[in-house]
Amino acid sequence: MKGWNGRILRVDLTKGMAAAEEYSKDFAKRFVGGRGFAVKLLWDELAPGVDPLSPANMLIFATGPLTGHVIPNSGKMVVAAKSPLTGGYGDGNLGSWASVNLRKAGLDAIVVTGRSEKPVYLHVENDEYTINDASDLWGLDSFQAEAKLKEKHGRAAGVLLIGPSGENLCRVSTVVSQEGRAGGRPGMGAVMGSKNLKAVVIRGTKALSAHDIDELNRLGKEGFDVILEKQNYKWWKRQGTMAILEWCQEAETLPTHNFREGVFDEADAINGYSMENATVKQKGCPNCNMTCGNVVLNVDGAESELDYENVAMLGSNIGIGDLKQIATLNRMCDELGLDTIGAGACIAFAMEASEKGLIDHKISWSDYEGSKTLLEDLAYMRGLGATLGLGTTAAAEKIGGGASDFTIQVKGLECSAYDCHLCPGMALSFGTSPIGAHHKDAWVISWEISSGTRTEYNPEKADKVIEFQRIRGGMFESLVTCRFPWIELGFELDHYPVYFKAATGVETSLDELWELGDRIYALIRAFWVREYGDAWGRLMDYPPKRWFDEPTTQGSLAGSSLDREKYDGLLQAYYDKRGWDDRGIPTKATMKKLALSSEAAELAKHVELR
Ligand code: PTT
Ligand code: SF4
C-alpha cells in the first residue's frame, strides 16, 4: 500500500493504552483518507445514541495519502467526532506541523476513545506512544500550553491541543495549533476535553513512502512554481481571505447584527485594506507558499491572525467596527480554544436576547468590553456563558420567549459569515452541508452573485452545490490537502489525480474522485439519519428562519428574504440529483451504486429505506 502508511494509532484513555493497528486495502480504496476514513470509522464503530461527551465517543485525527508530501498545501488534517453541538457527524480541517509529523511517524490517523481519570497528553515519537501527565498544562491557554510542550519535546514537534474552553466542555470549542490554526467547529475541542486529553504531541522523522517519490517531488516543485505564477497570487498575498470582506459588503451579504442585515456602516474600517496597513507578518501551514495567516497587533500589542470569518463574526455581526478590538477578541478565541464563528454567533445571539429583554445579562451591540467578558464566560461555562456554551440552539430552548427564532444555525451548527437573505444557492449550501451550517463544502455564493442569478431558485444551483461538495467536501477532505490553491488561485484540479497516482500508484480520474465524494456524503447522511431516527426530516436541511421571515431593512437590497416554497423546490432538486428520497435519505439504489450495500443494510435497521 504505497502512499498510505496503512496504520492507525488506537488510543484508549480509560485503559491508558496506545497501539498502532493496520487497516485493510479495501478501506483505503473505498474511503481514501481524512473525512472518508473518519466517517467510515464512526459508522462502523460508534453505537448510535452515544453521548458525544462520553468516553465512548471517538475523536479522530485523520490525514490522507497526499498529506505531508512536498506538494502544494499538504499540511492539513481532518479532526472528527460525533458532535456535542449537533448530535450528528462533525469535523473540521486544520493546518499544522502535526499533520506532517503524523505521516512521518508512519501513521495515517489517530483514534482516541475512553476518558483518562486525570489530565493527560498523548506523545507520539515515531513508533513510541506514551500517555503523559498533563496536570501542569490543564488550565493553561493554548499558547502557553503549546510553548511548554515545545520546550519539552522540541520545536519540530507538531502539537494539537485545546484551551480552557475545551476543558470546560464548551460546545463551541475547536482543536487548535500553532497559535492561530483551528479546526473542528462542531465542538471537537469539547470532545477532546471530555476525554481529559489536553494535547497530542507528534514527532515523526521517517521518510514518507510513495509509489514514485522522485516523480511526486518533481510534480510538487512544479506545482509550487505554477502557484507563484498565478495571476491572483500577488493580490492573495496582500489580503488573503480578508478580501472577502469588501466583496461581501459590496454584495450586501456581510452578516451584521446577528444576520439581520447584509451591510455594515463601518465595514471600511475592518476590511482587507485596513488589515493590509496593519499587517506585521504572515504565517501559515507547512508545505505552503500561499501563507494566508495575516497577523496584526491587537489592542494590547499582541499578535492576532485574522481571517475573513473571524473578522465578520467578531466584527460586523456584533456591531464592532474597530480592527484592533476585533483582533483582541480573535486572539482570545485562539487562546481559549473557542471557535470564532460559534463564539461570534453566541455573542450576537446574547446581544439580541438582551435587546429583547429575554435575559437579565445586559450586553448591547458593539459592546467591546462586554464581548470580552462574555468570551471568558463562554470558555469557562459560567454565568450566561454556561447557557451559551451549549450552543445557540440549546441556549434558545433554555431561554424561551421565541429566542429560537433568532438562532442563526442549521442542525445546531452556527452559520459562517454569509448573509443569505438573497442567496438561495448559498442557503442550500448551508442547509445541506454535512456538518451543519458551514461554508467549507460549497462556497457557491461568489458564483451565484457573479452569475447574476441571486434571485433565482433554478435547479442549476443544486448542481453547483453538488459539484462544489464533491470537490471541496469529498476530494480535498480525503486526499487531504488545502483547497485554497484551486479556489483562490485557479490551480487546476487535474493536478490532483496525477499527484494521487504518483503517491499511491493508483490510477484515478476526477470522475472517480467525485464518486468518492458522493460515497462520503451518503455515508455522512446515513450517520445523521441513524442518530436522529424518526426525528430526522427535510426541515433539518432548511436554513435559518430569519432569512425567510425577517427581510433586511438596509442597503440597496432592503426588503430581501428567502421564499420558503421555492427553497423547498430547490432542496427537492438537490435530493433528486443526489439520489436521495424526499426525506433527504439516500435510496437503496443510491447506496448500492456507491458501494455502500452493507451500510444500507445497517441503516435499514433504523429507518425505512426506499
Ligand atoms: C474553519 C473555520 C474558518 S473557515 C475560520 S476562518 W476560513 C475560522 N478560523 C478560526 C481561527 O483562526 N481561530 C479560531 N479560534 N476559530 C476559528 N474558527 C473558524 O474556523 C484555515 C483555512 C481557512 S481560513 C479556510 S476557510 C480553508 N478551510 C479549509 C478546509 O475546510 N478544508 C481544506 N481542505 N482546506 C481548507 N483551507 C483553508 O484553511 P474548521 P486552519 Mg480551519 C484563527 O477548521 O472547523 O473547518 O473551521 O484550519 O489551519 O486554521 O486554516 O476564512
Ligand atoms: Fe494553510 Fe492558508 Fe496555506 Fe491553505 S493557503 S495551506 S490555509 S496557510
Side-chain angles (χ1 to χ4, degrees):
M1 277 217 301
K2 285 272 172 65
W4 289 276
N5 286 314
R7 290 173 358 132
I8 295 176
L9 179 63
R10 298 283 189 162
V11 182
D12 182 333
L13 290 175
T14 305
K15 294 185 181 148
M17 281 169 49
E21 101 184 1
E22 293 192 353
Y23 60 80
S24 71
K25 271 190 189 157
D26 178 63
F27 177 66
K29 205 172 138 228
R30 277 205 306 154
F31 295 97
V32 177
R35 177 182 265 180
F37 279 7
V39 65
K40 177 64 173 155
L41 288 163
L42 284 165
W43 175 262
D44 283 351
E45 298 177 26
L46 191 71
V50 159
D51 174 354
L53 297 179
S54 72
N57 198 5
M58 300 160 68
L59 179 64
I60 301 173
F61 302 97
T63 59
L66 296 190
T67 309
H69 282 295
V70 190
I71 57 171
N73 307 37
S74 70
K76 290 272 187 177
M77 73 159 67
V78 169
V79 46
K82 177 176 173 181
S83 162
L85 193 56
T86 68
Y89 174 81
D91 74 15
N93 187 307
L94 84 164
S96 165
W97 280 102
S99 323
V100 181
N101 275 286
L102 180 73
R103 294 266 292 152
K104 289 191 171 177
L107 297 165
D108 294 323
I110 300 178
V111 179
V112 185
T113 52
R115 174 188 288 146
S116 166
E117 269 177 27
K118 55 182 177 64
V120 288
Y121 74 93
L122 171 69
H123 179 211
V124 174
E125 182 91 25
N126 287 323
D127 295 325
E128 278 180 37
Y129 319 120
T130 47
I131 297 167
N132 299 337
D133 180 46
S135 313
D136 60 333
L137 301 172
W138 203 254
L140 294 186
D141 74 41
S142 72
F143 287 37
Q144 295 164 334
E146 184 161 359
K148 269 196 147 195
L149 286 164
K150 289 214 157 170
E151 211 172 279
K152 188 161 175 193
H153 296 288
R155 299 218 61 77
V159 182
L160 303 161
L161 75 171
I162 53 170
S165 78
E167 294 172 11
N168 290 299
L169 311 184
C170 169
R171 314 303 195 259
V172 293
S173 304
T174 58
V175 174
V176 290
S177 188
Q178 298 179 196
E179 304 185 347
R181 306 276 112 195
R185 290 195 51 220
M188 302 301 101
V191 175
M192 194 156 160
S194 74
K195 301 193 171 306
N196 266 330
L197 180 64
K198 178 70 180 178
V200 178
V201 181
I202 313 171
R203 178 92 205 282
T205 55
K206 301 181 193 182
L208 272 179
S209 93
H211 166 72
D212 187 344
I213 193 71
D214 292 340
E215 174 65 354
L216 191 58
N217 287 338
R218 189 192 65 74
L219 289 166
K221 183 176 175 318
E222 210 174 80
F224 284 117
D225 291 343
V226 171
I227 285 176
L228 292 178
E229 295 299 317
K230 287 288 175 191
Q231 205 190 349
N232 208 24
Y233 183 80
K234 285 204 177 86
W235 171 244
W236 170 259
K237 285 297 287 176
R238 278 175 56 186
Q239 297 206 354
T241 60
M242 281 290 288
I244 300 170
L245 205 139
E246 42 263 24
W247 180 82
C248 279
Q249 170 76 352
E250 176 81 24
E252 304 192 14
T253 62
L254 181 66
T256 302
H257 296 147
N258 200 25
F259 288 82
R260 278 173 174 163
E261 310 292 343
V263 282
F264 182 50
D265 288 347
E266 294 161 86
D268 288 353
I270 61 169
N271 68 15
Y273 294 103
S274 297
M275 181 207 67
E276 272 190 66
N277 295 330
T279 302
V280 292
K281 69 174 177 194
Q282 291 186 319
K283 285 168 46 180
C285 314
N287 295 342
C288 171
N289 61 355
M290 291 172 62
T291 43
C292 65
N294 288 294
V295 178
V296 302
L297 300 183
N298 71 6
V299 171
D300 309 311
E303 293 184 353
S304 178
E305 186 182 323
L306 299 182
D307 268 303
Y308 164 69
E309 304 294 330
N310 309 346
V311 175
M313 294 304 288
L314 297 168
S316 55
N317 200 42
I318 59 174
I320 292 187
D322 179 311
L323 202 61
K324 274 188 185 291
Q325 290 184 351
I326 295 169
T328 299
L329 300 177
N330 179 58
R331 181 174 165 119
M332 282 179 72
C333 286
D334 285 340
E335 287 171 340
L336 294 165
L338 286 166
D339 167 34
T340 50
I341 297 174
C346 285
I347 297 175
F349 171 80
M351 287 173 169
E352 186 159 349
S354 175
E355 184 185 66
K356 292 193 156 99
L358 296 177
I359 52 175
D360 293 334
H361 190 104
K362 296 278 170 248
I363 182 164
S364 51
W365 301 111
S366 75
D367 179 351
Y368 167 62
E369 289 300 333
S371 298
K372 276 170 57 182
T373 307
L374 202 46
L375 280 184
E376 289 268 343
D377 287 350
L378 248 185
Y380 289 93
M381 294 288 276
R382 62 191 179 209
L384 178 63
T387 304
L388 289 176
L390 302 172
T392 54
T393 305
E397 273 166 29
K398 281 193 155 198
I399 291 167
S404 297
D405 290 352
F406 56 89
T407 60
I408 311 300
Q409 48 75 33
V410 177
K411 302 183 183 70
L413 183 70
E414 285 73 18
C415 282
S416 32
Y418 304 94
D419 183 73
C420 293
H421 274 93
L422 196 57
C423 297
M426 190 63 210
L428 180 70
S429 162
F430 276 134
T432 60
S433 152
I435 59 169
H438 202 340
H439 63 288
K440 62 187 271 168
D441 283 50
W443 193 69
V444 296
I445 192 167
S446 107
W447 166 83
E448 181 170 39
I449 290 175
S450 63
S451 64
T453 62
R454 65 189 291 182
T455 54
E456 294 173 23
Y457 292 73
N458 60 53
E460 289 78 51
K461 295 201 172 180
D463 285 328
K464 198 63 169 179
V465 169
I466 293 171
E467 178 193 330
F468 272 33
Q469 287 176 337
R470 286 175 173 157
I471 299 171
R472 297 162 65 115
M475 187 183 89
F476 283 114
E477 294 311 310
S478 314
L479 287 178
V480 170
T481 67
C482 175
R483 62 170 186 256
F484 275 167
W486 163 70
I487 191 74
E488 300 295 347
L489 304 184
F491 186 69
E492 297 73 12
L493 289 174
D494 293 334
H495 286 98
Y496 294 95
V498 179
Y499 293 160
F500 188 71
K501 168 84 193 298
T504 64
V506 178
E507 195 86 52
T508 191
S509 63
L510 285 174
D511 282 339
E512 282 170 307
L513 290 171
W514 307 159
E515 188 177 314
L516 164 73
D518 290 350
R519 181 175 307 125
I520 290 171
Y521 258 66
L523 194 54
I524 292 180
R525 184 48 66 126
F527 184 90
W528 278 91
V529 173
R530 187 172 68 171
E531 290 295 339
Y532 273 77
D534 291 340
W536 179 267
R538 64 194 285 144
L539 289 179
M540 300 276 294
D541 289 335
Y542 266 50
K545 193 169 179 296
R546 165 155 288 167
W547 294 343
F548 292 113
D549 298 340
E550 294 175 59
T552 53
T553 64
Q554 285 167 28
S556 65
L557 302 175
S560 301
S561 62
L562 291 178
D563 181 301
R564 208 172 246 106
E565 211 175 304
K566 288 183 184 165
Y567 177 83
D568 201 63
L570 186 56
L571 182 62
Q572 189 57 48
Y574 174 90
Y575 289 163
D576 293 344
K577 287 164 194 288
R578 278 224 168 269
W580 297 358
D581 67 22
D582 60 7
R583 300 164 299 170
I585 301 176
T587 63
K588 270 188 225 162
T590 300
M591 294 289 274
K592 189 168 175 221
K593 194 172 123 217
L594 296 171
L596 292 171
S597 292
S598 66
E599 289 81 358
E602 158 64 13
L603 184 59
K605 292 181 197 156
H606 301 269
V607 67
E608 180 218 343
L609 272 200
R610 295 177 186 159

